[in-house]
């Protein structure tokens, strides 16, 4: 789908179809037909009137989300026709929502289908009276953001046999080449030499070597330094604490945090952000086998802390522990350190499958992150640490346990585990994003089709855009 911003008198602009988003059919030219067809001004209600070349879609609130859902619904209808071009009048509509809704809503992943849908050469013209610099910027930025989301979705949707740590590292190299980023890839020898035993042990039973990926975007006169760390479990079988069959399917999605970091890194140069940004991913496969790490093992993380393994399925926090230490050891003068992970089922239970859980030590930074997330079109909510939950991950024989001694508050106890690997000077600069809920969509919602959603990408780019 090609999408254009066109300066023209709307009536004069030639297109085969016209898309009309409406929250009130009383004000439409086709009120009578729409009424007789039972059309309602509701999200996802859509009608194609082919004879007169119009698609009507309902919208409930006319906010970002309603507009994005409406345009995505209209585009799907448009895609199902043989018409080549459609136009929409921007008027009061939100341009960001139109662009992102179009690109995100028309995404499909059919790499593994024998009969691939033919990509018809269709185009959408967004018509404005006058193209101002502001409109043009919004248009271009929204396009880059949505493309980064779709890139992330493609990675996450790829089957684990075709996407293991080495492949993830190769994709990182490709992104680095395209965007002129620095790219360092470290293998298991490096992990061993540098005391990254927590990460190393998680990948021990896999035939695929674990990789630490480090991308750097360093523009001249950078205002701030941001580090993004992603959980890149290319597969999470649970390890010896093996997942039940029903819970194992979809665990290719456990690389979503790492893929989000790569997706974000693919956009930062294009968006010309005046910030130094590091993207670090722990790419590992959690498998079973004779050499697997075990419950009862004690691992020594990069910062010297000892970890009692009580459940090999709580592996993400082990990988992140070492990656967070690596980031803080290697990068000086960090302003923000954010991590992204499909870390806990508990977060999905707690806040639902649409929302990311935002954790950290600074209430004001959490507020800022949540507010940018909502602004970007993603759902996120702040979850509060407390001293009592902090005590639940104490271990009798090591410094800390990878499993809490309570059944409750699992998203928070995982976040608190990570806090043990955040150095004193970075405590208030750190945010943990648990994206286990929204990262992978099993029942399509809004403009998200089945499969990966690209959670984390839009909210982070929005945050980065607004760094002062
Ligand atoms: N990757 C899973 C978490 C997950 C669950 C991601 C659902 C996406 C959807 C993680 O590694 C895991 O298995 N966590 C355990 C932790 C437990 C053993 C403390 C969980 O949530 O059950
Ligand atoms: Zn797990
Ligand atoms: Zn996992």
């Amino acid at each position: 789908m090609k999408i254009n911003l066109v300066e023209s008198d709307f009536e004069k602009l030639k297109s085969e179809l016209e898309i009309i988003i409406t929250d009130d059919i009383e004000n439409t030219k086709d009120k009578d037909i729409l009424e007789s067809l039972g059309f309602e001004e509701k999200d996802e209600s859509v009608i194609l009137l082919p004879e007169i070349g119009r698609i009507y879609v309902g919208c409930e609130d006319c906010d970002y989300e309603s507009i994005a859902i409406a345009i995505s619904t209209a585009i799907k209808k448009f895609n199902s026709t043989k018409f080549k071009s459609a136009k929409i009048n921007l008027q009061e509509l939100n341009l960001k929502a139109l662009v992102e809704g179009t690109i995100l809503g028309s995404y499909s992943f059919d790499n593994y289908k024998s009969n691939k849908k033919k990509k018809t050469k269709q185009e959408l013209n967004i018509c404005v009276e006058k193209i101002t610099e502001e409109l043009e910027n919004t248009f271009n930025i929204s396009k880059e953001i949505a493309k980064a989301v779709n890139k992330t979705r493609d990675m996450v949707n790829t089957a684990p046999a075709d996407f293991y740590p080495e492949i993830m590292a190769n994709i990182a190299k490709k992104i680095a080449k395209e965007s002129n980023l620095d790219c360092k890839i470290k293998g298991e020898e490096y992990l061993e030499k540098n005391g990254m035993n927590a990460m190393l042990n998680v990948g021990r039973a896999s035939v695929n070597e674990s990789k630490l990926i480090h991308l750097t975007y360093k523009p001249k006169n950078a205002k701030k330094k941001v580090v993004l760390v992603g959980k890149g479990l290319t597969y999470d079988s649970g390890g010896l604490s093996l997942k039940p069959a029903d819970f194992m399917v979809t665990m290719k999605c456990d690389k979503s945090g790492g893929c989000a970091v790569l997706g974000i890194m693919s956009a930062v140069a294009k968006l010309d952000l005046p910030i130094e940004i590091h993207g670090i991913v722990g790419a590992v496969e959690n498998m079973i086998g004779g050499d697997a790490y075990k419950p009862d093992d004690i691992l020594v993380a990069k910062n010297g802390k000892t970890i009692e393994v009580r459940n090999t399925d709580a592996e993400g926090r082990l990988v992140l522990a070492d990656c967070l230490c690596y980031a803080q050891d290697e990068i000086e003068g960090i302003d923000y350190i954010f991590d992204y992970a499909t870390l806990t089922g508990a977060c999905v239970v707690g806040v639902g499958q649409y929302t990311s859980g935002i954790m950290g030590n600074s209430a004001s930074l959490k507020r800022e992150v949540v507010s940018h997330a909502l602004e970007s079109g993603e759902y996120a909510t702040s979850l509060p640490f407390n001293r009592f939950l902090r005590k639940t991950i104490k271990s009798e024989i090591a410094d800390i346990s990878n499993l809490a001694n309570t059944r409750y508050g699992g998203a928070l106890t995982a976040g608190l585990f990570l806090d043990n690997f955040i150095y004193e000077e970075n405590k208030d600069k750190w945010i943990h994003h648990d994206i286990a809920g929204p990262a992978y969509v099993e029942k399509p919602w809004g403009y998200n089709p089945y499969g990966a959603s690209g959670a984390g990408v839009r909210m982070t780019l929005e945050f980065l855009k607004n760094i002062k």
Side-chain angles (χ1 to χ4, degrees), residues 333-369:
I334 296 172
D335 291 296
Y336 298 103
I337 176 162
F338 291 178
D339 74 72
Y340 301 82
T342 44
L343 206 61
T344 65
C347 195
V348 195
V349 174
V351 303
Q353 73 267 47
Y354 310 106
T355 306
S356 293
I358 306 298
M359 286 157 257
N361 297 301
S362 159
S364 62
L365 184 54
K366 285 199 292 175
R367 267 198 303 277
E368 236 182 282
V369 166

Side-chain angles (χ1 to χ4, degrees), residues 13 91 110 126 128 132 141 276 302-303 310 324 340 364 384 395:
L13 180 64
Q91 288 177 317
D110 57 8
I126 302 176
V128 292
T132 60
I141 292 172
E276 179 174 324
K302 193 174 193 296
N303 65 348
R310 292 184 69 90
L324 287 166
Y340 301 82
S364 62
S395 160

Side-chain angles (χ1 to χ4, degrees), residues 231 236 243 251 254 311 313 315 317 342-345 403:
K231 169 178 174 182
D236 180 13
K243 284 185 185 290
M251 275 306 138
D254 216 20
N311 191 315
D313 197 12
E315 83 300 333
R317 63 196 76 184
T342 44
L343 206 61
T344 65
L403 190 69

Side-chain angles (χ1 to χ4, degrees), residues 143-156:
K143 261 198 333 197
E144 287 309 331
I145 292 175
K147 278 200 270 180
V149 174
N150 284 350
K151 198 181 206 104
T152 305
R153 287 167 159 182
D154 275 344
M155 288 187 255
V156 177

Side-chain angles (χ1 to χ4, degrees), residues 158 188 254:
T158 304
E188 291 183 355
D254 216 20

